Amino acid sequence: DLRSDDSLPRKMLRYALAGVGPIGVAGAQFLMSVQLLHSLPPLAFGAFSFLLVASQFSTGIWTALFFAPMPILLSTADTDLRAARQRSLMAANLAGALAAGPVFAAVAFVFHAPWPAALAFGAFGAANLMRWFGRAYAYAAGAAWRTMASDVLFALALLAGVAIALLQPSVSLVTPYSALLAAAVLGLAPFGGAFLRRQFLEIAPRDLRGYGTIWLGHARWSLSGVLTTEATGNAHAYIVTLLRGANAFAPLAASALLMRPVSVASNALTDFERPQLARLLAAGRFQEADRAILFFRLMLLMAWVGTVGLAALLMRFAPQALFPPQYDRPQLALGAWLWLAVAFVRLLRTPESVLLQASGQFRALAHASLISCGVSVAAVTVLLVTAGPVWSIVGVLAGEIVFAVWTRRQKTQWMATQLALGSGHSLPPPAPR
């Protein structure tokens, strides 16, 4: 739990521990992506990268449906209500993951993956969603070490898959998708037998009915926000792939690899901070929460500066270590710097977004992302047609700027209202515009 008397070293240690697992996972995925970038033709690499975007989109949906509302829902002191909510969440999670598997397999097959690879990717999609739910549950239960252990095990299994692929004379998509599947399944183990029994054995179809209340109260607005946030941040992936094909998406995916470190840091710290902020807000400690997001932003800025330094060194001294010769280096460099600009704007609004999620203000966030996604989709489409795939990233940047400005406005209004109410003033909560 966050405390007002925390020293800076203790805060830094907490953040470092929270980032160990996600950094390991992202590092392993980064190595796999670089390996495939060098061993696959652009069409196959573009398809692989697009499917990873689709997989990350699904975890974003799970964040909306389960991760974001879970700290609020399970913080009640009523043990019977908490147990009922837990069963409802787990029943909805299991049903959703089982339904998602065939969808992932079908999408992989559409993108020219052979049936063994498509089936492996479908199974990975389902298992990864189960693991993602387990991560959220461990955080909400105050067992962050289980989440870290799951991430570390996932990363080690994925690195083993990378090593196996290096020993093969030629790499097919079966190997990376099978490695992802094995990593996701092994990553469930650290959540423990009690969690696995509750998730797979101690729920019934009737528990699904309870999720309706969760959906109406929290998840529908959170899901709306995720869908429109996805359109804001990844419009290029869908529009470029739809209009120009996976071959045109490959350079964008390759240039985005340099943005991976700051994305990892942002995701890791977001997952860690959300339940911490929820506890502070539930206790009415609004000023402490406001100070906490300032430190949160500082850590994100440090990650961004480190990423820029690493990107500059790689592009200056060893571009061939990352990018194969068949890609246009100037275009990749342009794409990399545009992605780093996107990352900068995105991290500026991340602390406000997390605080609004922790306070249950999902409708306000959905409204902000709805406006920004319209800007992003329109700008990406126009720039793709008029300037080419790489310049479509500027459309994503435009959407992120709008999102950051609007989120900052919503957070400022909400926090002012809470502080005024805490001081005895009577102010109505700001209505979403």
Side-chain angles (χ1 to χ4, degrees), residues 41-58:
L43 178 63
F45 177 75
F48 171 82
S49 300
F50 178 78
L51 289 173
L52 278 189
V53 169
S55 172
Q56 291 162 3
F57 178 37
S58 72

Side-chain angles (χ1 to χ4, degrees), residues 35 162-170:
Q35 180 190 44
V162 172
I164 292 171
L166 286 173
L167 297 175
Q168 295 177 331
S170 62

